[in-house]
Each structure stands twice: as C-alpha cells, then as structure tokens.
Amino acid sequence: AQSVTQPDIHITVSEGASLELRCNYSYGATPYLFWYVQSPGQGLQLLLKYFSGDTLVQGIKGFEAEFKRSQSSFNLRKPSVHWSDAAEYFCAVGGTNRDDKIIFGKGTRLHILP
Amino acid sequence: DTAVSQTPKYLVTQMGNDKSIKCEQNLGHDTMYWYKQDSKKFLKIMFSYNNKELIINETVPNRFSPKSPDKAHLNLHINSLELGDSAVYFCASRALAGGANTGELFFGEGSRLTVL
C-alpha cells in the first residue's frame, strides 16, 4: 500500500542553522516524490520533486532533497534557515497514471528561533 | 493571474445546510482533485477527475458530490452538512503527460468550511 511517513511532527531550529526534515515512503512502483510547503492560511507550494535521474534534487528557496531508494527516503535539507521558512512541510508520493493518487504525509511544522 | 482559484475562501453555515465550492484552473491541465485538510493539517484525497471523467472516488460520504462541467472546472457540492465536515477543502490540478511540470499538483488557496 502507498504511504508516507514524516516522523517529526514539530521541529525547532535556530535561524541560520541547518535543517533536515525526514520522509519515508512506501510505494509499489518507481515513486514520484514531492515536497510541498504550506504557510498559514495558504495553499501548498511545490518546493521540489523527484521523478528520475540525479538523486539529489534542487528546489526553490535554497532547499534540496536526496532520494535514497535503499532506505525508501526522501529527506529535505537546507543549509541555513531563515525566519521566513517557518511553515508546515509535506512530503508526498504518487504516480502519473490517471488513476494514481498523490498521498501526503502528516506534515512537519517547522519553528524558527531568532 | 491565479492558476488554480477556488471560491468562496470562507464558508460558515449551519448543520443540515447544503453548500458548494467552485474551482477553476487556467493551466490547461487535464486532471483535477479535491483534497480535505482536517484540523491536524492532514491532507486526504477525496476525488479526481480526468477530462471530466470521475477517476478517483475515495471513501467519502455520498453527501459529497463532485461535478466537472469541463476540464478547467471542478465543483464540490455538500448536502446535509455535519459538524465533522468542518475543514479546509483544497482544489488541485496537474498534467499527467508532457512538459516540465508533469505530475506535480498545483493547489488553490483553499476553502475553509465551518459548520456550526
């Protein structure tokens, strides 16, 4: 069955510190993987995605993620966080057939300390 | 020029009423979705339409009825509203083939439904 696990519900980091948000997935075929960010009262914005090729993908706002097939993981990283990065982050997995679903993890709330 | 737009942004209504949410996308995508986000921020897929055809229909009460009059529009009608229907409902669209953005979901800003 298709599933996404984000083990950390909340993470707090100091401004300027590095960040890693964890994501593990279960998917029966080659996964299409996504990270989305949601600011309060807003919709979801795509940070980055992995379909194939280089397993280290670069996204917007200085984020990157690494696909590790052996660990079924797609962790999100940023070398130095800014106060504006405080938001909810969602990992998602799915396919691109018409009956494929994009399934989301439960999200990780990122708090930034000044 | 909003890519995926939903109306209304807020609905406050009484139990037992009927309400509708409308969604439009101007991205030329062939597939549209409704997701429900509960108070704990969990996003659950409800429905998808591909070229006006219902494809995904999750375990959703039949009080919820989606309708897609054309590829660019997907509406959600909810009958006999219950307290548990209070949530944020997100419309999303994506292209399934061709182009750099294939496969990724583009979301609207959400419609917050409060049932009293």
Side-chain angles (χ1 to χ4, degrees):
Chain A
Q2 182 180 357
S3 67
V4 179
T5 301
Q6 293 180 246
D8 303 306
I9 298 174
H10 294 273
I11 283 198
T12 301
V13 298
S14 298
E15 191 169 16
S18 63
L19 171 71
E20 182 169 33
L21 302 183
R22 296 182 290 164
C23 172
N24 291 95
Y25 68 89
S26 173
Y27 194 69
T30 301
Y32 288 69
L33 293 155
F34 310 87
W35 274 99
Y36 283 84
V37 61
Q38 184 181 28
S39 297
Q42 301 294 314
L44 281 81
Q45 180 184 24
L46 181 75
L47 285 174
L48 47 77
K49 62 188 179 189
Y50 172 78
F51 284 175
S52 63
D54 191 347
T55 56
L56 183 64
V57 293
Q58 303 297 320
I60 62 171
K61 305 186 182 190
F63 285 93
E64 67 178 26
E66 186 170 12
F67 170 57
K68 292 186 178 180
R69 186 185 298 274
S70 61
Q71 297 176 21
S72 298
S73 70
F74 189 57
N75 294 348
L76 182 71
R77 301 194 293 249
K78 186 169 184 177
S80 175
V81 298
H82 186 262
W83 64 266
S84 60
D85 293 325
E88 191 89 26
Y89 290 80
F90 294 93
C91 181
V93 66
T96 57
N97 294 321
R98 67 200 294 257
D99 56 351
D100 283 336
K101 305 170 194 175
I102 302 291
I103 299 297
F104 286 78
K106 293 191 174 181
T108 298
R109 171 62 66 91
L110 176 63
H111 304 270
I112 307 292
L113 294 175
Chain B
D1 192 20
T2 306
V4 182
S5 57
Q6 299 178 225
T7 55
K9 192 163 182 175
Y10 299 97
L11 298 100
V12 181
T13 189
Q14 301 286 335
M15 272 197 313
N17 284 350
D18 304 338
K19 287 293 177 189
S20 292
I21 307 170
K22 296 188 175 184
C23 178
E24 176 181 4
Q25 55 95 4
N26 62 7
L27 297 167
H29 291 164
D30 52 11
T31 308
M32 296 184 72
Y33 301 80
W34 281 112
Y35 279 82
K36 179 181 180 181
Q37 187 174 47
D38 63 22
S39 58
K40 296 187 177 178
K41 302 291 187 183
F42 181 51
L43 271 160
K44 188 177 185 333
I45 189 169
M46 300 172 70
F47 303 103
S48 79
Y49 271 77
N50 176 265
N51 289 319
K52 301 195 297 175
E53 180 185 352
L54 179 65
I55 303 298
I56 295 172
N57 185 351
E58 288 293 276
T59 312
V60 178
N62 58 15
R63 299 182 293 103
F64 290 78
S65 50
K67 278 193 174 55
S68 181
D70 56 58
K71 276 193 341 178
H73 295 85
L74 179 62
N75 304 324
L76 182 66
H77 187 75
I78 315 169
N79 289 325
S80 303
L81 279 156
E82 300 177 357
L83 292 176
D85 298 332
S86 295
V88 181
Y89 293 86
F90 284 99
C91 177
S93 71
R94 65 174 181 157
L96 296 183
N101 295 328
T102 297
E104 69 186 75
L105 287 166
F106 288 77
F107 283 87
E109 292 201 341
S111 298
R112 181 177 293 276
L113 171 65
T114 302
V115 182
L116 303 174

